[in-house]
Amino acid sequence: AGATIMALGATAANPELGLKIVPTGLNYFHPSKFRSRAVIDFGQPIDIPPELVEKYRKGGAAKREACDELLRIVSEGLKQVTLNTPDYETLKMVQAGRRLYQPTQHSLTMAQQVELTRRFIKGYSVYRDLPEVKELRDRIEDYNLQLRYYGIRDHQVDTMRIGRAEAGALFVWRLLWLLIMGLVALPGTVLNLPVFIVTGVVSKSKARAALAASTVKVRARDVIATWKILIALGLVPLLYTTYSILAVLFVRRAPLWAAGFVSGIADWPSSRIYLWSWALAAFMSYTALVFGEQAVDIVKSVRPLFLTLILGEEHTELLARQREELSDDITDLVNEL
């Protein structure tokens, strides 16, 4: 409602302002991942209706009515640039159907994927009562259940379509790579452990409070992200400053066992030691962040390889075949409807 008060108030004070409201939708592909890709959609600019400005000037009940009406107009504009379903389960089902649908042999851009999902939602709302659509919905839900049972994602099904020998070699190599990554990322992880603990505890607490007070939030990830950023903005500089001061004190009062290690550094002025310590802490943190992200992707790819080793390619082929048949049937039905 704050946006409507600002828009109507500014226009009432200056009728020649020409103010417009532009609905903007943010559609994230991996909202919980750092530096997630996102598609930003801009809707049609909304003019401020003059009759609502007049109502706003009258004040009282008329002012509230003007704000409510403009809020309704803005909300309709936002629906055109965001994904909207009756519930979260429907959204998951529709997104699965969109992933399985194969309109061409070429990969779609991010913007095309968002637009396709929006059209799937609209199409499903129109045809959801057709018997063939209900049957496909049940099959999609069964496929999603299979994915949850195996603990994998849709795009990882093809990873399981390899022989046991190849799966074993990849499994061993990726475990070794994870070990190397872990050793490289360990110093930066240890340095930032206080930040991880404090931001995790506080942001989850705030998210629970936000979920309890809201009827529209699903996981309150926006609250979690906001509080993590706010806390980190103050805690990280404070932590690095502490580490840098400790480094200066260590060099100045190095014990005998460390005398050889700091012998050259001991001649540096304290300010130089402080700045180099700050830079080193930041570099180690960034290294841990980059390697950590790569490690998460590799960990996700290890499970399908392990399943192939345990179950054999004959068993995993059934899931891949189920996906292919479902994809063909969804594509045919969408083309028909």
Side-chain angles (χ1 to χ4, degrees):
T4 65
I5 294 172
M6 287 188 283
L8 290 169
T11 307
N14 184 1
E16 304 301 322
L17 187 62
L19 185 145
K20 299 178 187 292
I21 297 175
V22 182
T24 307
L26 294 174
N27 299 282
Y28 290 91
F29 279 71
H30 302 284
S32 60
K33 187 176 181 181
F34 188 60
R35 297 195 303 274
S36 166
R37 295 181 301 163
V39 170
I40 305 177
D41 278 347
F42 296 100
Q44 291 296 319
I46 298 170
D47 292 307
I48 311 302
E51 61 273 17
L52 295 185
V53 177
E54 288 303 317
K55 272 190 172 184
Y56 183 86
R57 284 198 182 103
K58 292 177 182 178
K63 178 178 179 179
R64 286 193 295 273
E65 287 177 12
C67 290
D68 289 343
E69 178 60 21
L70 183 56
L71 187 59
R72 185 193 63 77
I73 295 171
V74 172
S75 297
E76 288 300 316
L78 284 172
K79 286 180 181 178
Q80 306 306 313
V81 292
T82 53
L83 302 177
N84 299 271
T85 55
D87 52 67
Y88 189 54
E89 293 302 316
T90 302
L91 178 62
K92 290 197 295 184
M93 188 274 296
V94 169
Q95 286 180 325
R98 191 269 301 162
R99 285 196 306 271
L100 292 164
Y101 173 60
Q102 298 295 329
T104 67
Q105 296 301 313
H106 304 287
S107 60
L108 301 176
T109 65
M110 290 187 292
Q112 288 172 331
Q113 290 179 46
V114 172
E115 176 60 24
L116 190 57
T117 303
R118 194 177 289 124
R119 295 187 186 193
F120 256 72
I121 292 171
K122 186 175 181 180
Y124 178 71
S125 67
V126 174
Y127 296 114
R128 64 186 304 167
D129 294 327
L130 292 180
E132 53 266 47
V133 174
K134 289 182 178 179
E135 182 201 0
L136 270 180
R137 180 189 63 202
D138 293 340
R139 289 172 60 190
I140 291 173
E141 290 175 351
D142 178 69
Y143 175 69
N144 281 337
L145 187 64
Q146 294 285 333
L147 294 180
R148 286 198 296 271
Y149 174 76
Y150 287 112
I152 60 174
R153 296 180 180 272
D154 175 63
H155 70 273
Q156 294 177 311
V157 172
D158 284 337
T159 308
M160 303 168 68
R161 305 187 73 170
I162 58 177
R164 272 183 166 156
E166 187 180 353
L170 275 173
F171 182 76
V172 172
W173 165 245
R174 287 179 180 176
L175 284 181
L176 289 173
W177 185 233
L178 280 175
L179 178 62
I180 296 170
M181 281 182 162
L183 292 174
V184 173
L186 183 61
T189 304
V190 172
L191 282 177
N192 289 281
L193 200 57
V195 180
F196 298 150
I197 294 173
V198 174
T199 55
V201 171
V202 175
S203 62
K204 287 177 182 177
S205 172
K206 296 293 184 180
R208 284 193 295 269
L211 285 172
S214 174
T215 58
V216 295
K217 290 186 183 297
V218 178
R219 297 182 184 176
R221 283 175 169 167
D222 56 333
V223 177
I224 292 174
T226 300
W227 278 98
K228 282 186 174 181
I229 291 172
L230 288 174
I231 296 168
L233 281 172
L235 189 56
V236 170
L238 179 63
L239 193 65
Y240 289 5
T241 298
T242 303
Y243 289 149
S244 300
I245 293 172
L246 290 174
V248 173
L249 293 175
F250 177 79
V251 171
R252 293 287 177 254
R253 304 176 183 180
L256 291 175
W257 59 266
F261 175 73
V262 300
S263 58
I265 304 175
D267 297 330
W268 290 4
S270 297
S271 58
R272 185 179 180 185
I273 299 173
Y274 176 88
L275 291 174
W276 273 100
S277 300
W278 233 98
L280 182 61
F283 175 76
M284 291 168 68
S285 300
Y286 179 73
T287 302
L289 176 67
V290 172
F291 277 84
E293 281 189 343
Q294 295 179 9
V296 168
D297 291 335
I298 293 177
V299 167
K300 291 177 181 177
S301 71
V302 165
R303 186 176 180 87
L305 294 173
F306 181 73
L307 289 173
T308 303
L309 281 173
I310 300 299
L311 301 176
E313 52 193 298
E314 300 85 6
H315 191 84
T316 55
E317 181 67 26
L318 293 175
L319 184 62
R321 198 176 304 128
Q322 179 185 5
R323 187 190 189 282
E324 283 184 356
E325 292 173 358
L326 192 54
S327 177
D328 291 339
D329 292 344
I330 287 175
T331 304
D332 291 341
L333 183 61
V334 169
N335 291 341
E336 179 187 341
L337 293 178

